[in-house]
Amino acid sequence: MTNKDYPFVKYSSETFSEEDMIKRSAEFYDWADARRSVRDFSDKSVPLKVMENILLTASTAPSGAHKQPWTFCLISNAELKSRLRELAEEEEKKSYGGRMSKEWLEDLAPLGTDWQKEFIDIAPWIVVVMKRAYEFTDEGKKRNNYYVSESVGLASGFLLMAIHNAGLVALTHTPSPMNFIAKALERPDNERPFLLIPVGHPTENAMVPDLERKSKDEIIEYYS
Ligand code: IYR
């Protein structure tokens, strides 16, 4: 399938025997299964180059009409991190203090979360994933993006895997409402905050909740 009005290039990638595919997919699953959301961050530094590679990897995700409707704000400035923490905690205090339902708080209890977000100060990097609802053409006219949440969700998944691959940890934090982030970062009108993701090394004694993942039979419906 090609369109003669636009250039196409030959697709090339490695292929494997069935035996190797089974082995590789099982090994990749084991590796992916070891990834966890971590809240105990060390302040140990992470090179900028690593973060750039990770964000370039995130940006390899597929997107609606290949619009790549994302911007990654890469924050290491201590004052800005502090400000974001302060603003996030202001909202979270209201959320945990009555805005979230009893049922929601019950569901969160096993994760041990609360309104305090010290990881925003401690982690060496904060990535704020912004979704771009639309673009501006060179003439200043609005031009649509498509499937923006799906696209940015995919890029965020790639981002988490790239972080895991570098031996680092992350937390997908969603302070709610998130408008304060766009304001604090002085983002343009076409951008909305999607996720706030601290990235860094875990502390030596980092703990995570003892959770189980759904089994194969719980997540797959077979139509053979
Ligand atoms: N945004 C809050 C609450 C929270 C909500 C869900 I759903 C989580 O999976 C975890 C936390 C917070 O970040 O604490």
Side-chain angles (χ1 to χ4, degrees):
M1 225 178 53
T2 57
N3 181 332
K4 66 179 170 40
D5 295 329
Y6 295 90
F8 273 61
V9 291
K10 176 92 179 67
Y11 174 72
S12 64
S13 92
E14 268 180 288
T15 56
F16 303 100
S17 68
E18 290 196 354
E19 195 187 329
D20 282 352
M21 273 195 280
I22 291 170
K23 185 163 177 286
R24 289 174 64 93
S25 56
E27 283 170 0
F28 191 73
Y29 163 52
D30 283 344
W31 171 81
D33 194 28
R35 187 203 56 78
R36 296 297 308 266
S37 291
V38 170
R39 292 181 169 76
D40 299 335
F41 282 87
S42 137
D43 62 1
K44 186 175 170 189
S45 66
V46 171
L48 171 63
K49 192 72 196 163
V50 173
M51 295 306 297
E52 288 172 343
N53 286 337
I54 285 170
L55 295 175
L56 283 168
T57 303
S59 199
T60 65
S63 61
H66 190 53
K67 294 282 189 165
Q68 304 167 89
W70 43 68
T71 301
F72 303 102
C73 299
L74 182 57
I75 304 163
S76 61
N77 180 283
E79 272 168 42
L80 186 52
K81 286 197 296 176
S82 249
R83 179 85 188 119
L84 288 175
R85 174 185 176 179
E86 197 184 325
L87 294 167
E89 288 185 338
E90 223 171 88
E91 292 297 347
E92 295 291 63
K93 243 184 220 167
K94 288 184 215 157
S95 295
Y96 282 88
R99 228 165 23 192
M100 288 192 278
S101 65
K102 191 166 152 275
E103 180 180 319
W104 193 348
L105 291 171
E106 266 170 31
D107 284 338
L108 282 182
L111 305 184
T113 61
D114 59 30
W115 62 268
Q116 293 186 76
K117 304 297 169 193
E118 63 280 349
F119 50 75
I120 300 179
D121 267 331
I122 297 169
W125 296 103
I126 303 294
V127 175
V128 174
V129 181
M130 305 293 299
K131 59 179 185 182
R132 300 170 65 94
Y134 55 89
E135 305 293 335
F136 286 107
T137 65
D138 291 343
E139 295 82 46
K141 269 183 56 186
K142 281 187 188 178
R143 181 111 189 174
N144 236 344
N145 287 331
Y146 309 94
Y147 299 101
V148 171
S149 294
E150 290 85 344
S151 302
V152 182
L154 285 161
S156 299
F158 281 37
L159 172 62
L160 295 182
M161 289 302 230
I163 291 166
H164 182 46
N165 178 62
L168 299 170
V169 294
L171 177 67
T172 37
H173 178 40
T174 50
S176 174
M178 284 208 273
N179 312 350
F180 72 86
I181 299 177
K183 243 176 127 183
L185 300 180
E186 300 179 350
R187 300 311 304 163
D189 282 349
N190 61 332
E191 289 188 3
R192 298 277 174 277
F194 188 72
L195 292 171
L196 186 158
I197 306 182
V199 182
H201 293 274
T203 59
E204 247 173 61
N205 304 316
M207 302 288 282
V208 293
D210 188 10
L211 305 177
E212 299 226 332
R213 302 199 200 274
K214 285 184 175 177
S215 69
K216 190 165 68 175
D217 290 339
E218 288 171 295
I219 60 162
I220 308 175
E221 290 283 347
Y222 296 89
Y223 294 82
S224 299

